[in-house]
Amino acid sequence: MNERRHIDARYAIAWSFCFSVGVLSTHGWRGLGAFALMLAGACIASRVPARRLFASSVPVLILALFVVGAHASTDPLEGARYAAKAYLLALCAIALVLACPPDSIAAAMERFAAPLRRLRLPVDDLCMMTSIALGAIPDLHIQLARLVAAQASRGAAFDAGPPHARVLAWGRAFVALVVVAFRRAATLADAMEARCFGAGVRSSIRLSRSDPAAVALAVAGCAAMLACGIFL
């Protein structure tokens, strides 16, 4: 198993932001294909495990298929395009979490949002909540796999039977997943309250200085993605 390569969270967040803007801006399949290749290259460069990446995106893929089905009677190509955009955005978010530790993501987001402190906005709290939400994506996939295995051992048919029976089986699994997610959120809230979260100024991670060459390369890559989203 490949070890995680050290990725500066600031560059990863900037890349993910420009990637998201480009995906939402593009209108054709050529643009979506180009962004898919960019994402694949970034995942290979950062040694993101492909199996875990796609396994964590299964719930989003199911929702994307529902989007395609909802547009089947009107414009299937448009529904498929919307579904592809949503799936690419989800893959980008999951890849960001797998490539960078959650504490580095929170520290980088605090650095980007530092000017908003002048407006007396709770920047630290917002960045921490966003980091926790991103980190919960792989955990929810693990919980879903456990729920599916537990219900399958009790006779639930996820891969057999008529389509409506499979949909009902997956629906029950997702309901149980929502319950588990709320329980984990309540436990996390109690733990943060016990540690006096928000009672005062928190310590933060000191990020290293940026290499000018790396900054120039990151800016060029982000500009290329934005141009691809506009013109393709």
Side-chain angles (χ1 to χ4, degrees):
M1 183 176 181
N2 295 334
E3 295 181 357
R4 176 188 290 178
R5 175 174 293 179
H6 176 71
I7 303 296
D8 195 320
R10 292 170 293 184
Y11 299 148
I13 292 176
W15 191 92
S16 300
F17 176 77
C18 293
F19 180 87
S20 301
V21 173
V23 169
L24 293 175
S25 301
T26 188
H27 300 288
W29 287 103
R30 289 187 303 173
L32 293 177
F35 280 107
L37 292 177
M38 292 180 190
L39 181 60
C43 291
I44 294 174
S46 57
R47 295 181 181 176
V48 173
R51 183 175 181 179
R52 188 175 179 187
L53 174 65
F54 288 106
S56 300
S57 65
V58 169
V60 183
L61 180 60
I62 295 175
L63 294 177
L65 293 177
F66 275 113
V67 172
V68 176
H71 288 78
S73 60
T74 56
D75 191 350
L77 290 179
E78 182 180 4
R81 188 163 54 248
Y82 288 150
K85 287 185 177 183
Y87 189 60
L88 284 176
L89 294 177
L91 285 178
C92 180
I94 297 172
L96 174 63
V97 175
L98 295 178
C100 303
D103 52 355
S104 299
I105 295 176
M109 293 180 64
E110 290 179 8
R111 181 67 62 87
F112 284 134
L116 297 178
R117 290 193 178 96
R118 298 180 180 180
L119 302 177
R120 296 184 178 182
L121 294 178
V123 173
D124 296 339
D125 296 341
L126 292 176
C127 294
M128 179 59 68
M129 294 302 104
T130 304
S131 176
I132 292 174
L134 290 174
I137 296 175
D139 293 338
L140 288 178
H141 167 256
I142 295 174
Q143 293 295 331
L144 179 61
R146 292 176 178 174
L147 288 171
V148 170
Q151 293 189 9
S153 64
R154 292 171 173 82
F158 292 95
D159 300 325
H164 69 275
R166 300 184 186 182
V167 172
L168 290 177
W170 281 105
R172 297 187 187 98
F174 276 108
V175 170
L177 181 64
V178 171
V179 174
V180 171
F182 275 105
R183 289 179 178 175
R184 290 174 61 88
T187 302
L188 178 61
D190 293 338
M192 295 174 69
E193 183 179 3
R195 290 163 176 80
C196 300
F197 182 85
V201 180
R202 298 187 296 109
S203 60
S204 59
I205 299 176
R206 184 179 296 274
L207 299 175
S208 60
R209 291 187 176 182
S210 301
D211 185 6
V215 173
L217 183 61
V219 171
C222 293
M225 282 190 293
L226 293 177
C228 182
I230 295 174
F231 295 107
L232 291 182

